[in-house]
């Protein structure tokens, strides 16, 4: 199969981690007889330096016209003082909106090999933890009007029924394929948008009688994720709550560097990226963990290219790498073998087998 992949290396550790994911994809192509063609796309700080724009329209079009997009991360201190509409992260928001990817899917699962890397007590970890956070991605406060008038700053949080319904369906469908438990997270004791969210979710629940729907306030959810993560199967929530909760959930897995994500809309052209940022503190040092990006590439194969065997092969190779006790610095613990970003990629590739 021939697939065209738009590749955004971005800033900070972006280029290092993406390089490893591409090496893995190339090995998969060799093993399974596929051709992956890559188109480089400039986005983020590097695009501001080159074009004075975090995502020029021509770069966005390369993504829209691809079969899917693999992204490292964008941003960094160098661009902190540029005006808001020009910030690297604006490129990311424009990319998500331009691709129409309204549903972000972030799995937070404890790898059994990393049970000693999580900050949670063993008794909590042993109960098991395998959560998927389905986050609305192109609405809510990040996409509302932002303005500052004198000493007052305003950010508008707005959701329509149809925006809630389409992400709600993804939540129910995802739960239906798993343990059939969906927790809808909002702040309906305070926000109108959350009261609408809750109403739409309960309306949808009538179409999914096999899925058990529960409601939880976002502040309680933040607490429950560390107190009793095993209670969750699928969590569905709006953009900002999902952003925060998925970072929190990532930590119970050991490191933010381990978590992939997929973002999809109404076509199979998806956006695949690790959930972390550009980690400027470790950029260029060959210490970043590339697994979140490598697993994002696996999600691309599974969800956009219908290549589940190939995706399984990547996930099994990551598991075999962890079984052999190799660790990057972020998940290092006593008695394990410390490796850098490049070596981690090479070792995962050496474990890749045709399933
Ligand atoms: P961050 O996720 O970049 O880093 C948080 C911490 O996690 C840092 O200590 C970092 O070293 C560590 N970390 C992150 N990824 C890692 C990896 N793969 N391996 C090992 N350690 C890793 O968050 P931040 O420091 O708040 O943000 C840095 C920059 O990234 C900012 O400019 C921010 O706006 C941007 N950002 C971009 C994205 C994106 O591109 N999707 C997402 C979040 C933040």
């Amino acid at each position: 199969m021939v697939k065209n992949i738009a590749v955004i290396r971005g800033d900070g550790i972006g280029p290092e981690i993406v390089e490893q994911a591409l090496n893995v994809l190339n090995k998969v192509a060799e093993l399974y007889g596929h051709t992956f063609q890559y188109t480089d796309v400039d986005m983020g700080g590097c695009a501001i330096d080159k074009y004075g724009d975090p995502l020029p329209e021509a770069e966005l079009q390369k993504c829209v016209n691809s079969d899917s997009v693999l992204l490292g991360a964008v941003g960094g201190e160098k661009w902190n003082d540029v005006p808001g509409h020009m910030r690297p992260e604006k490129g990311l928001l424009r990319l998500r909106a331009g691709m129409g990817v309204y549903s972000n899917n972030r799995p937070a699962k404890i790898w059994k090999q990393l049970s000693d890397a999580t900050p949670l007590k063993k008794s909590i970890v042993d109960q098991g933890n395998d959560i998927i956070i389905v986050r609305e991605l192109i609405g809510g406060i990040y996409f509302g009007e932002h303005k500052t008038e004198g000493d007052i700053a305003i950010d508008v949080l707005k959701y329509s029924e149809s925006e809630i319904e389409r992400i709600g369906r993804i939540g129910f469908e995802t739960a239906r394929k798993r343990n059939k438990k969906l927790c809808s997270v909002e702040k309906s004791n305070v926000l109108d948008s959350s009261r609408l969210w809750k109403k739409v979710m309960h309306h949808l629940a009538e179409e999914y009688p096999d899925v058990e729907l529960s409601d939880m306030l976002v502040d309680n959810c933040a607490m429950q994720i560390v107190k009793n993560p095993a209670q969750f199967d699928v969590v569905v929530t709006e953009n900002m709550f999902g952003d925060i909760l998925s970072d929190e959930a990532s930590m119970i897995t050991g490191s933010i560097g381990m978590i992939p994500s997929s973002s999809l809309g109404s076509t199979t052209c998806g956006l695949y990226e690790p959930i972390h940022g550009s980690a400027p503190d470790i950029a260029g040092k060959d210490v970043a963990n590339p697994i979140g990006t490598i697993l994002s590439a696996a999600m691309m194969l599974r969800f956009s290219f219908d290549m589940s065997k190939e995706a399984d092969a990547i996930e099994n190779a990551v598991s075999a790498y962890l079984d052999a006790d190799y660790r990057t610095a972020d998940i290092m613990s006593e008695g394990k073998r410390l490796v850098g970003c490049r070596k981690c990629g090479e070792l995962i590739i050496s474990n890749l087998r045709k399933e």
Side-chain angles (χ1 to χ4, degrees), residues 6 12 17 70 114 123 225 248 288 297:
I17 52 178
L70 181 69
L114 296 185
S123 57
I225 280 179
E248 187 196 8

Side-chain angles (χ1 to χ4, degrees), residues 34 65 87 89 91 94 101 152 154 215 241 274 294 324 346:
H34 301 306
N65 294 327
R87 285 184 58 89
E89 295 77 8
R94 214 186 284 161
V101 287
I152 295 178
I154 299 164
D215 305 297
F241 298 161
I294 290 171
E346 286 168 12

Side-chain angles (χ1 to χ4, degrees), residues 13 17 71-76 80 87 89 92 96 255-257 273-282 287-290 330:
I13 59 170
I17 52 178
L71 163 67
V74 296
N80 275 357
R87 285 184 58 89
E89 295 77 8
L92 185 56
R96 290 170 177 166
S255 168
I256 199 169
E273 54 176 320
I275 72 159
H276 57 74
S278 59
D281 51 332
I282 56 168
V287 297
N289 186 345
D330 55 317

Side-chain angles (χ1 to χ4, degrees), residues 33-334:
H34 301 306
T35 303
F36 297 136
Q37 292 166 344
Y38 307 115
T39 304
D40 282 319
V41 174
D42 293 315
M43 186 181 91
C46 58
I48 295 173
D49 289 349
K50 204 163 161 183
Y51 311 104
D53 183 336
L55 183 64
E57 184 59 28
E59 299 300 290
L60 170 61
Q61 285 312 313
K62 289 184 195 169
C63 297
V64 170
N65 294 327
S66 70
D67 291 316
S68 267
V69 180
L70 181 69
L71 163 67
V74 296
E77 237 170 64
K78 181 178 170 194
W79 304 280
N80 275 357
D81 295 329
V82 299
H85 69 283
M86 277 275 297
R87 285 184 58 89
E89 295 77 8
K90 267 283 172 212
L92 185 56
L93 296 184
R94 214 186 284 161
L95 175 68
R96 290 170 177 166
M99 291 181 68
V101 287
Y102 58 82
S103 165
N104 180 234
N105 176 326
R106 296 180 169 199
K109 174 178 150 186
I110 292 188
W111 292 75
K112 65 178 186 332
Q113 302 93 329
L114 296 185
S115 55
D116 54 354
T118 128
L120 294 187
K121 278 194 214 141
K122 192 174 178 310
S123 57
I124 294 178
V125 174
D126 285 348
Q127 290 169 23
N129 170 43
D130 182 1
I131 309 173
I132 288 198
I133 298 186
V134 175
R135 165 188 168 197
E136 200 291 322
L137 201 59
I138 56 174
I141 200 162
Y142 293 175
F143 285 86
E145 187 188 4
H146 308 289
K147 63 180 176 188
T148 303
E149 289 168 353
D151 58 356
I152 295 178
I154 299 164
D155 299 289
V156 175
L157 165 53
K158 190 171 77 179
Y159 270 111
S160 67
E161 276 193 23
S162 59
E163 282 176 303
I164 300 170
E165 189 183 319
R166 67 183 182 182
I167 189 71
R169 279 193 192 284
I170 304 273
F172 278 102
E173 294 290 341
T174 309
R176 183 171 261 180
K177 290 187 201 120
R178 291 175 37 107
N179 296 322
K180 301 186 173 47
K181 277 172 62 184
L182 180 65
C183 181
S184 164
V185 173
E186 28 70 5
K187 188 72 184 167
S188 57
N189 54 342
V190 179
L191 302 175
D192 269 32
S193 57
S194 281
R195 283 192 275 277
L196 182 64
W197 181 279
K198 191 172 173 181
K199 187 183 107 183
V200 173
M201 289 297 157
H202 281 267
H203 191 64
L204 271 177
E206 292 167 15
E207 290 180 42
Y208 297 88
D210 51 325
V211 176
E212 180 196 323
L213 174 69
S214 60
D215 305 297
M216 196 176 278
L217 296 176
V218 63
D219 36 355
N220 184 25
C221 183
M223 195 172 75
Q224 296 296 333
I225 280 179
V226 285
K227 192 176 166 209
N228 178 15
Q231 71 184 284
F232 296 106
D233 177 20
V234 179
V235 169
V236 65
T237 190
E238 60 103 90
N239 202 343
M240 183 166 67
F241 298 161
D243 192 6
I244 298 166
L245 292 177
S246 55
D247 268 28
E248 187 196 8
S250 76
M251 267 322 289
I252 59 183
T253 70
S255 168
I256 199 169
M258 294 291 298
I259 317 278
S261 80
S262 66
S263 302
L264 284 156
S266 51
T267 72
T268 56
C269 177
L271 170 62
Y272 296 86
E273 54 176 320
I275 72 159
H276 57 74
S278 59
D281 51 332
I282 56 168
K285 297 183 180 160
D286 191 36
V287 297
N289 186 345
I291 292 181
T293 319
I294 290 171
L295 293 174
S296 300
M299 286 181 103
M300 175 188 292
L301 301 185
R302 190 182 303 285
F303 297 127
S304 285
F305 301 167
D306 208 10
M307 296 180 183
S308 50
K309 283 203 173 69
E310 292 84 336
D312 287 346
I314 296 178
E315 287 164 6
N316 291 341
V318 170
S319 193
Y321 156 89
L322 294 172
D323 279 339
D325 282 346
Y326 291 107
R327 301 285 186 269
T328 42
D330 55 317
I331 48 172
M332 185 60 190
S333 59
E334 217 182 314

